[in-house]
Amino acid sequence: MELTISRKLLSFKNQLIFLGFAWTLVQGAQLLHNGIVTNLEAEKYITQASYFLQFGKFESHNFYLYSTQIFLIATAIKLHVGFAVIVIIQLLLNLFATIMFCRLAIFFLKNQALAVTATFFFIVNIPYQVYTSFLFTESIFYSLTIIYSSYLLRLEKLTFKNIFFLIIFLALLSVTRPTGILFFASSAIYIFFRFLNHVSVLYKTLIIAVSMVIFLITVNMMLQAGGEFDFMLPFKKENIICGVDTNINADIKILENGNSLKGLLYYISNNEQQFLKLSKLKTISFFGMVRSYYSTSHNTFLILFFYPFYILSAIGIRKKIMHKDKTTIFLFTIIMLYWTTTLLTCDDWHNRFILTVSPFLFLLGLAAFSKKDVPSDGLEK
């Protein structure tokens, strides 16, 4: 028995070495190919970092929703340490997120081989991993979402200490990228079904009500952050991809200030036909991922790499539901929330919205091959 366990541990150690080699190869190759990217979207954050150092504030409130990256850049500028330090931080966070993802995969899939496979797909997901050398918000945000999700989903019980940590982490996610607030909603739903089974109906109702009010108030405040945020613009110009106009001046009914939940509800209720048409096209863009401005080889890669996981995820979700695995609630909910958010705004030029939740697709997809109550030998610890 001890010999069998030792062989399994040795085998798993070799698999971890393989994953470490794959991570080093992928990150090294990307860094050599791209260098430190300080142009494109990075220019906006560098400009705001310099502006903050000079005036002690941002040009508009919406930049507070990206402040983690901006403050990091500002610190590098202030200390004269160079942007390479930021890339090192992003690489270290990415490495830690990879470890946390592997632990989550072992916990969720209950199978070493499947967990290693899921982690390998996570590592070689090039469109997802490419941002580690970019001074964009994506790399840190992606890593934080994995670290947070792995911590939450592997909790055995909920304590005040855990709740405090989760709230702090959710706040950090929400000021790294605005869509970080979506993890609040998916977390609340997961916690409700995972940990509140023995709570009275009265307390459950109170918790749901308070959570919903906090979430809606926060979302409404974020919608009104100002600056470049104009949530009616994608409907005015019928943007499927953000910034790409398909109708310069669509004839729609909107409130004068549409940047609010009230404004979005008014638009949907008064422009149902256009909303449904755009929703269909945005859904195709979100899940389809292919773009007319991508090369044929790039689109082919996206199809071959991601599409099988849609089919496998459907099987995996069904299997996990049959096994009454409540972790699936969180994974499925966050994917659906990102899709819904895309319907209410527009899809990203480089698929960054669905890429955020792509690691969860890997977990759900490989769950199609999992078996019920297969021991994981405690290796998730």
Side-chain angles (χ1 to χ4, degrees), residues 30-31 34-42 69 86-87 90 129-140:
Q30 290 185 140
L31 187 58
N34 298 318
I36 300 175
V37 179
T38 58
N39 59 348
L40 303 172
E41 193 172 309
Q69 187 75 15
I86 298 177
V87 173
Q90 291 180 170
Q129 299 287 355
V130 73
Y131 294 102
T132 48
S133 64
F134 287 56
L135 298 193
F136 290 12
T137 57
E138 273 70 26
S139 181
I140 290 178

Side-chain angles (χ1 to χ4, degrees), residues 141-164:
F141 183 68
Y142 287 168
S143 296
L144 291 178
T145 61
I146 295 300
I147 296 167
Y148 169 80
S149 300
S150 181
Y151 174 80
L152 169 66
L153 298 177
R154 292 187 299 118
L155 285 178
E156 295 181 1
K157 62 180 181 178
L158 202 61
T159 64
F160 285 111
K161 180 181 177 181
N162 292 335
I163 293 172
F164 176 77

Side-chain angles (χ1 to χ4, degrees), residues 160-361:
F160 285 111
K161 180 181 177 181
N162 292 335
I163 293 172
F164 176 77
F165 181 80
L166 292 173
I167 291 173
I168 295 299
F169 217 125
L170 286 169
L172 178 61
L173 284 175
S174 298
V175 295
T176 303
R177 283 196 64 82
T179 52
I181 190 63
L182 299 178
F183 282 84
F184 177 91
S186 57
S187 298
I189 294 170
Y190 168 72
I191 289 172
F192 178 83
F193 287 102
R194 171 68 176 82
F195 295 107
L196 303 183
N197 292 332
H198 303 297
V199 176
S200 68
V201 175
L202 177 62
Y203 281 118
K204 279 187 177 180
T205 304
L206 182 62
I207 291 170
I208 292 172
V210 171
S211 299
M212 184 62 69
V213 169
I214 293 174
F215 177 71
L216 292 177
I217 290 175
T218 305
V219 169
N220 202 53
M221 290 173 61
M222 294 173 72
L223 289 174
Q224 300 179 63
E228 61 187 8
F229 283 180
D230 183 354
F231 289 91
M232 287 297 106
L233 189 63
F235 303 111
K236 293 175 184 176
K237 298 189 176 183
E238 296 193 343
N239 296 156
I240 308 304
I241 305 295
C242 296
V244 181
D245 303 339
T246 58
N247 187 342
I248 297 177
N249 190 20
D251 183 20
I252 58 175
K253 297 177 182 179
I254 59 174
L255 295 178
E256 184 176 348
N257 181 14
N259 284 353
S260 64
L261 290 174
K262 181 181 178 181
L264 283 172
L265 291 173
Y266 181 89
Y267 161 76
I268 295 171
S269 60
N270 287 275
N271 304 274
E272 183 179 348
Q273 186 174 357
Q274 189 214 41
F275 177 70
L276 291 175
K277 180 188 75 172
L278 293 179
S279 294
K280 175 184 176 182
L281 295 173
K282 291 173 185 178
T283 298
I284 294 172
S285 174
F286 180 78
F287 289 108
M289 300 186 72
V290 296
R291 301 286 191 260
S292 60
Y293 42 82
Y294 285 166
S295 66
T296 301
S297 59
H298 191 169
N299 282 327
T300 301
F301 165 78
L302 292 174
I303 292 171
L304 295 177
F305 190 82
F306 290 103
Y307 283 25
F309 281 102
Y310 295 145
I311 300 171
L312 291 173
S313 292
I315 301 171
I317 290 171
R318 181 178 179 276
K319 182 172 288 189
K320 284 294 183 177
I321 289 175
M322 292 175 62
H323 296 169
K324 298 180 180 180
D325 189 331
K326 293 182 174 63
T327 308
T328 311
I329 296 172
F330 176 88
L331 301 178
F332 177 76
T333 302
I334 193 61
I335 293 171
M336 290 297 99
L337 283 173
Y338 263 83
W339 168 62
T340 302
T341 301
T342 301
L343 300 186
L344 296 175
T345 53
C346 48
D347 199 12
D348 180 72
W349 182 267
H350 290 303
N351 298 303
R352 286 179 289 185
F353 296 151
I354 192 168
L355 284 174
T356 305
V357 295
S358 61
F360 306 134
L361 283 172

